[in-house]
Amino acid sequence: MRLLKRLTMAGLLAGFGVGALADNPISAYHYLADPGAAADDTYFYVITDSDDPAASNANGYNIKALYGFRTKDMKNWTDFGIIYDARKVDGIGDIWASGIAVNPNDHRLYIVFPDGGGGGIGLIGADSIAGPWTNPVSGNKKLINNWGGGLADCDGIGWCFDPAIFFDDDGQGYFTFGGGESNSRPAANNNNNIFNIYKLNKDMKGFDVGSKTQLKIGGPKAMEASYIHKYKGNYYLSYSTADLRIAYGMSKNPMGPYEYKGIFMGNPNINGQNINANNNNHHGIAEFKGHWYVAYHDRRIANGYDGLEKIPADDGKANPVPAFHRSVSVDEFFYNGDGTMKELTFTKEGPKQIENFDPYDWYPALTSSKQKGIRSRSNWTPGKVAEHLLLPLSTKESWIRVSGVDFGTAATGFVVQAASAADGNKIEIHSGSATGTLAGTCTLKNTGNKNTFAENSCEVTGLKGIVDEIFLVFKGSQDSTMAIKAWGFEGSGTTPPEPQKPYGEKAVTLPAKIEAEHYDIPGVGRGGDVDSYSDNEKANQGDAKFREDQGVDIVEGGTGMAIGYTASGEWLEYTVEVPEDGDYAIKASASTGMESASFCFLADGKAIGDTITVPQTGEDWSVYKEFEGGKAKLTKGTHVIRLVITGDNVNVDWFSLGEVSEVGLKPAVKFQANASRVYRVYSVSGKLLGTVELVGKKAAEALQSAGFNKGVYMLKSVDGHKTFMTSVAR
C-alpha cells in the first residue's frame, strides 16, 4: 500500500494502496545522467547533465549541458530542455554532475556545477528552473578553480568536481565537492578524506574561504558525489562508493564530523536484475510535501529494460553502449525510527501521484508522465530561456501521456502551439490508452517550416471528472515535419477530492475500544486528506479475507483480526468523536515474534500518550498481550487518531481510548499446535522461497536446519489455516 499523507512518517506498513503510479525513467526520449534534486512549496526539481552527444560506440563521457525538470505531482514532469550549455559559455569546458537547491533567503534556485572533469566549481542562479541562469559571484569568477581564477583552489582533492549545494533551516548555505584520491587526500575503506565543505555568503556573491572543512568519513572506499541533506535535526552526508553504491553518514552539524551508518542505495536493480549495467551512480535527495525522494541514474533505456524503447545515440546508431548512455529515475524513500535511512527500493513505477493534474493551464509541450516515439530539441542562448520543442516521429507510434487529469465539469476544447511543414499533421486526444476513446482531433495548420508557429484548436468531448490517463497522439505521413511548443485544455471547474470517512460511516464516540482493522475508509482523488493509511507494499499479505480491496495486511489473530506485517513509519487513521475535554487512557493489544517492536499514536498530527514498546510475546506472533500507553489529552469534538508503527514487525489487534468494558468482546483465536505441519516460506517481499516442516522444532530452528540464512521470513501453512512471521538469528 502506498497511500501517503502530508504528515507522513516515512516507512513501511503491510500491503499497497490504490493510486496512479509514475513511470521510470522520467524521460524516455534522450539520455540523461547525474541528477541533482531540490524542492520548494510548489515544485520538485531535478537537474541532469546529458549523454546525448555521446556516439553509439563511445568509450568515454561526452557531457556538455544541463537539463531542467519540475513536477507538482511526482507523476507528470515538465522537461525544460537545456538550461545551461557549456559549449556557449566562455571560460568553462564540459559540464558534469551538478547540484541544485532553493535558497530560503531570496527564494531563488542555485546550481553548483563542475568545470569539466576537474577544472573547478562554478555557481549560477535563476528565478525559475527554465532560467535564464547567471553567475552571481563577484567578478564573474568561479567558486573553486584548479588552475587559477577562482576564489579558492581544490585543496589537494584528486577530482575537483561533483559539487552539491545545501541550505539549512536558518538560511545558511553550504557547498561541497570532491572525488578520486591523491597523496594528500586518501580514499580507502574506513578512511575517506576526499570531500570539502564551505559556507556560502548570504548575498551569494562568494563564500567564506576560511570556513573550509575537510569532510572525513569512514565506510566503504569513497569515489565521488558528496551530497548533504537534513532530516529531523540530523545531517546526512551521502556519497558514491568505489564499488558503485551510495553510502552515508550522520552528524548533528552540517560541517561534520560524520559517523558512517550504512548503504543507502545499492547498484540499481529490480527483482535481482541490474538495470545500471553494473556501473557508476549519482543521486540527489529532497523532501516535497511531506515525502522524501531520491533522483538517480541508471541504464534502463540503453538496456531496453522492461520493454523500453532503446533510443539511438546522437549519431543515429541503435544499441548504444549502456555505460555512456544513462537515464534518470526517481523513487520515494523512507527513514527508520532512529533516523537512519532505509535502503532504497528501485521501482519501475516511481512515486505515487500526490495531486491531480490541472489541464486548464498552459504547459510546455514536453509535460508528460510517459512518452513513446518522440524526440526533443533545445535552442539555447546565454541570457535567455531556451525554446524546447517536442518532435514527433509521427509515422510510428508517437505519443505523450498525462496522468491523473482533473477535468472537473468538462473540457470543451484543446489548444496547441505548433509548427508544421506538411499538410495533414494532426494530434488526436485519447483517454485510457493511445488507441482508447477518441475525445477530439486537432489538425495542424501548415506553417511552411518547423520554425514558424501557429495556434491550433479543436473541440473535445467526453472529458470530465478525473481521468486516469490522457494521450496526445501524433499522426502524420512523414517524420520530423512538426514541432510542438505548448498546449492546454479549455473548460471549467475542478473535481474536489472526497475526504476519508470513518469505518461504518460514523465516527467512534469515546471512550471506546477500536479494532485496528477498522481504520477509516480512504477518500477519492489525490491530496493530503484522502488517505487513511500508508504502506509501501502493494500486495495484501493478510490471511483474514477482510477489506481485501485495500492495501493493509489484516491477519487472523487476537480477538479475531489484527493488522500485521508492519514496518517502521507506516500508519493507519481512525476518526473519533470526543464528548468532552479530558485525559483518555490509552491501552492496546499487540504481539510480536521479534525481540521488540513499537508503535505510538497521534491526534490531528500531534503526539499523544507514550510510545508502546512490545517485547517478544511469542515466536509466531499468535500470543497477544495488553500494554498501557499513557494518557491522551483530548478536547471536545471530532479528531483523527493516527496509529504509527515505530518499530518493525508488530501485530496490533485493538486499542482503546478511555476505560472500556470488556463485556461482549470476541474470544481470542486459538491455534492448535499440530493443526499445520508443512509451511510455505516467503521473503518479506512475498517471494516464495521453499517449504519447511515444523515438527518438534521451533520455526526459527526448522528454518535454520533447512538452510535458510539470517533474516525475517513469512510462513503460511499449506492448508491455509495459519500465517506468521519469524526470524533466523544467524
Side-chain angles (χ1 to χ4, degrees), residues 567-585:
S568 176
E570 299 172 341
W571 49 261
L572 302 99
E573 290 186 332
Y574 308 79
T575 301
V576 301
E577 190 69 31
V578 178
E580 57 186 32
D581 295 359
D583 292 330
Y584 291 78

Side-chain angles (χ1 to χ4, degrees), residues 512-519 544 546-547 552-566 572 574 587-592 599 601 612 614 617 621-627 643 645 649-656 662 665-671:
K513 178 179 178 181
I514 301 171
E515 295 292 334
E517 67 272 15
H518 290 173
Y519 58 90
F546 182 70
R547 303 183 78 171
V552 178
D553 293 338
I554 300 174
V555 299
E556 294 181 349
T559 56
M561 292 180 284
I563 60 167
Y565 307 132
T566 57
L572 302 99
Y574 308 79
K587 187 181 290 186
S589 173
S591 72
T592 184
F599 56 97
F601 294 91
I612 295 176
V614 181
T617 58
W621 274 261
S622 65
V623 178
Y624 286 77
K625 295 182 179 180
E626 294 184 12
F627 299 91
L643 188 165
I645 306 300
N649 301 312
V650 61
N651 286 10
V652 182
D653 179 11
W654 55 262
F655 65 92
S656 63
E662 295 298 313
L665 294 182
K666 296 179 182 179
V669 173
K670 301 293 185 182
F671 290 108

Side-chain angles (χ1 to χ4, degrees), residues 521-536:
I521 300 167
V524 177
R526 299 174 178 86
D529 296 316
V530 302
D531 302 334
S532 64
Y533 61 89
S534 171
D535 195 329
N536 81 330

Side-chain angles (χ1 to χ4, degrees), residues 16 519 540 542-552 554:
F16 280 77
Y519 58 90
N540 187 332
D543 58 0
K545 308 301 180 185
F546 182 70
R547 303 183 78 171
E548 293 179 87
D549 60 330
Q550 293 164 21
V552 178
I554 300 174

Side-chain angles (χ1 to χ4, degrees), residues 84 92 99-101 103 109-115 120-126 133-138 140-144 151 163-165 167 174-175 200-201 203-207:
Y84 205 67
I92 63 174
I100 184 171
N103 186 338
L109 289 160
Y110 287 91
I111 289 174
V112 283
F113 66 88
D115 177 4
I121 308 298
L123 176 69
I124 50 177
W133 293 85
T134 57
N135 182 359
V137 180
S138 298
N140 205 38
K141 291 185 176 182
K142 299 183 185 70
L143 298 173
I144 302 291
L151 302 182
I165 185 170
F167 289 94
Y174 303 83
F175 74 95
L200 289 160
N201 295 341
D203 61 10
M204 299 303 291
K205 293 182 178 180
F207 65 96

Side-chain angles (χ1 to χ4, degrees), residues 584-622:
Y584 291 78
I586 300 173
K587 187 181 290 186
S589 173
S591 72
T592 184
M594 309 302 288
E595 290 185 4
S596 68
S598 60
F599 56 97
C600 67
F601 294 91
L602 309 179
D604 304 324
K606 296 182 180 180
I608 56 173
D610 304 322
T611 296
I612 295 176
T613 299
V614 181
Q616 187 181 68
T617 58
E619 189 181 73
D620 64 359
W621 274 261
S622 65

